[in-house]
Amino acid sequence: MITSLFAVYMTSAVIAAKVPSLKVHVPKAAHAHHLPRVHGLGAAKTTTRTKGNLAGADSFMSYVLLAVCPRTKAWWIFHRRYSHFHALRKELVTLRRLCQPVAGLQCLLRALDGALTAAFPRKRLLVTVTSPTVVAERLHSLQLFAAQLTLLRAVCSTEETKGLTHEALGILHHIGALMDSFLQAPAHLRHLRNTEGLFKASSKDDCSICLEPVGSDWSSPTLVLPCHHRFHELCLAKWFETEPTCPLCRATATHGTVA
C-alpha cells in the first residue's frame, strides 16, 4: 500500500530530476492553453516492511507529478510507482482493442492512441532502479505518458455523450473512472467545469514567488490553492519540488483549481 503523498515528502529524500515539463501532442488547431500539462516534481525512495519478509525491507521509487488540466479546471499532485504505470499501459492496450469496433468513440480512440504511442521507459534490473540516471530518465518519460493519461481523462469527462450507444457509454465511463483512480484525481474535482466560488482566489495581484502579476493570460496560467492563494503554474511547480505546501501560509496543498 502506497504511503500518503505528504508522508513521502516528509520521510523520504526527494530526488529532483531536472527535466522540462511536457505538454501532450494534439492537433495544431487545439488552443495551447487548453492542453493538459504534467510537471515532474521528483522521485522518492520509499521503504516498506511486510510481514514474513525475512530479508528485511522492500524499497521502491515513487514518482511525484503535478497534473494540470485546464479542460476540467483542476490541478493536483499524485505519485505512482513505475510498475503501476507499466501495468496500466498493458491494460490500455486491451481497452484499445475493445473500443475499436464500437461506434462513436473516435475521440477516445485518438486519446488512447496518444497514450500508447508516447515514449515509455523500459524495464530495468531491480538493483538499478534507484540510480539517479535511471530515475531522471523514467521521470522524463513518465511525464509525457502521464500528460497523455490526463488528456484521456479529460476526453472521458468532457466528451459529448448524446447519441452514444449503451456499450459506448459503458466504455467511456469505465475508462474515465480508471483514469480518475490511477491519476488520483480528488473526487470533488473530477467533473469540475465552473470553479467560481469553489476556491476563491485572493485579491493579491502578484505571484508571491516571482513577484510578477497573475491573471487570466493563457501564456502564464494561474493555479489556485485551497487556502485561496494563487501563483503562476511554473512558479508553483518549481516550489512543489521542495514541498507540497502553500508558499505563503505553508498550508498543505496537493490540489486546487485552474484560474
Side-chain angles (χ1 to χ4, degrees):
M1 180 176 179
I2 300 178
T3 57
S4 68
L5 176 65
F6 189 70
V8 168
Y9 271 99
M10 295 301 293
T11 62
S12 303
V14 175
I15 302 174
K18 305 302 180 182
V19 296
S21 298
L22 302 171
K23 296 180 181 179
V24 297
H25 174 72
V26 297
K28 293 182 179 179
H31 297 293
H33 58 292
H34 287 159
L35 301 183
R37 299 176 289 276
V38 171
H39 304 267
L41 303 183
K45 183 178 180 180
T46 302
T47 301
T48 60
R49 294 185 180 276
T50 55
K51 186 177 181 180
N53 183 359
L54 300 180
D58 297 318
S59 297
F60 59 85
M61 299 303 297
S62 182
Y63 293 88
V64 187
L65 302 116
L66 166 65
V68 180
C69 186
R71 289 180 64 173
T72 56
K73 301 294 185 182
W75 70 264
W76 65 96
I77 297 174
F78 70 100
H79 58 112
R80 285 290 187 184
R81 296 170 59 176
Y82 169 82
S83 60
H84 296 153
F85 281 102
H86 190 271
L88 176 70
R89 192 172 186 276
K90 291 177 64 176
E91 186 170 357
L92 291 180
V93 171
T94 301
L95 290 171
R96 175 64 176 79
R97 289 198 295 266
L98 293 176
C99 293
Q100 182 64 47
V102 181
L105 295 179
Q106 290 79 10
C107 288
L108 181 62
L109 285 170
R110 286 195 293 269
L112 280 168
D113 288 340
L116 294 175
T117 57
F120 195 84
R122 63 186 178 89
K123 283 188 172 182
R124 297 276 189 168
L125 294 175
L126 186 61
V127 294
T128 67
V129 296
T130 59
S131 161
T133 301
V134 174
V135 169
E137 174 191 311
R138 283 187 168 182
L139 183 61
H140 182 275
S141 296
L142 293 178
Q143 276 183 249
L144 180 56
F145 184 59
Q148 294 288 354
L149 296 180
T150 307
L151 176 60
L152 179 58
R153 171 187 174 271
V155 168
C156 293
S157 299
T158 61
E159 180 72 353
E160 177 58 56
T161 58
K162 185 177 180 180
L164 291 182
T165 64
H166 180 73
E167 182 182 15
L169 282 173
I171 292 175
L172 194 67
H173 292 159
H174 173 73
I175 295 179
L178 178 63
M179 292 302 99
D180 278 336
S181 176
F182 182 85
L183 294 171
Q184 300 170 346
H188 64 290
L189 298 179
R190 289 183 179 180
H191 303 290
L192 195 60
R193 302 292 182 83
N194 181 10
T195 60
E196 183 178 358
L198 182 62
F199 293 144
K200 184 179 180 181
S202 68
S203 58
K204 190 173 180 62
D205 295 324
D206 295 335
C207 170
S208 298
I209 298 175
C210 68
L211 303 182
E212 294 293 330
V214 295
S216 58
D217 181 9
W218 70 266
S219 64
S220 183
T222 302
L223 303 186
V224 184
L225 280 59
C227 58
H228 304 164
H229 295 129
R230 57 179 181 166
F231 307 88
H232 291 129
E233 178 182 325
L234 293 180
C235 294
L236 198 58
K238 187 67 176 178
W239 174 269
F240 282 159
E241 288 181 6
T242 303
E243 58 180 345
T245 62
C246 172
L248 276 178
C249 66
R250 296 299 193 272
T252 300
T254 58
H255 65 273
T257 59
V258 181

